[in-house]
Amino acid sequence: MTMQPWFTEAKLGVFVHYGIYAVEGVPESWAFFDSVMPHDQYMRQLDGFTASAFDAGAWARLFARAGAGYAVLTARHHDGVALWDTGFGDLSVVRRTPAGRDLVAEYVKAMREGGLKAGLYYSHSDWNHPDYATVRHPRPPHPELVDSPYVSPAPGAEDPRAWNRYLDYRDGQVRELLTRFRPDLLWFDGEWERSAEQWRMSELARTIRDLSPDTMCNARLLGHGDYATPEQGLPMSAPATAWELCLTVNDSWGYRPQDGNHKTVGQLVRYFAETIGMGGNLLLGVGPRADGTIPAEQARRLEGLGDWTRRHSAAVHGSVAGLPPGHHYGPSTLSPDHRTLYLVCFDPPSETVSVRGLRNTVRRVSVLGTGTELAHRVTGGLHDVPGVLWIDAPPQADIAPHGTVLAVELDGELELYTGRGRD
């Protein structure tokens, strides 16, 4: 596929899970799959989905205030309900709900007018399609998730012709999204239910390249994606390719009014700083109500993250991954020219901040956001092993909420010692 420079520069995206599941505030698609509620009750939510206060422009303005460079909207989840006016079947919010609107079209237009890249989530699987549960994965990575009548037929009841009809439907919807909306990003999901060969992934990837060569895709295109998508937990080491961490503000992707376990702004700042310090993006998930409004407790957290990012923009926008673990007790980033190191200190330093293994001479250290210069010195060091850089703790007046950033200006591009010392 095609990696685009905007992606690694964006740092933050907003992941919006919006669909009929918001009517009763149940898990998106999984509610009927996991028998949280009967299938017919889940589908009756179509009758209550109004999008009566849906304002994509308001979303775009909120996301921009959060500091996001892109957003991803669930154009169609595993329940098969499309948020655009699809010509493949009638299961869409346009034809089957009181909303009666092409929400994807409004979303894409608003994001672009607001200066954000517009991504679309699309599930390979559709647990409501009559031709979906017609073949079985030969080697399922999650057998417990595919041994379901919504996913697989009984052994010996496979129907390859029906499966090919399903793939034609899936490919037709993807072509619609590409030709109507030219998404900057396609975020695929549901890939675990079939093999890459069964999904015809090579052919689908070729279609995407041919119709919209600038559209990026995540790794759930099985062998043809541009970037990795770890989910709900930071990896201990960065993936070998470009990547983003997708993370919920509370514990739910969609709107769940009973889920009050929201991460604090400080916790979100930590996730964000640790992610960009490892060279990734954070894709932060929110779940709008059925009327289209984003809950205030989630909006406030987006705003709080944006406040921190604006104060420390130089350490975020245009930055690259910083120090490897062990050189500084906290995440860090580097300026594009590798000559300024940004150290994130989540807790106010009591005396000094230290950096180990730094070969460079330090020209200046200051507090990002206030400009206050900090004294610094080096102690120790012998032959190839550099001494420890000690930076005086910033004054209380310079401490930023949720995390203070120190800008360390170097005499050249960053050089680190990573050896074992003298035998």
Side-chain angles (χ1 to χ4, degrees), residues 121-186:
Y121 168 109
Y122 184 86
S123 174
H124 294 292
S125 59
D126 181 344
W127 297 332
N128 266 313
H129 196 284
D131 291 326
Y132 184 67
T134 52
V135 295
R136 300 180 69 88
H137 193 306
R139 297 169 302 279
H142 304 287
E144 73 282 4
L145 295 180
V146 301
D147 191 18
S148 162
Y150 293 114
V151 177
S152 305
E158 289 83 358
D159 185 346
R161 287 189 299 178
W163 177 245
N164 282 325
R165 289 196 302 268
Y166 175 78
L167 291 177
D168 290 344
Y169 150 82
R170 190 246 355 226
D171 293 349
Q173 286 198 325
V174 172
R175 282 194 298 271
E176 282 183 333
L177 295 175
L178 292 168
T179 56
R180 292 189 194 177
F181 308 116
R182 296 281 172 180
D184 298 290
L185 185 155
L186 277 177

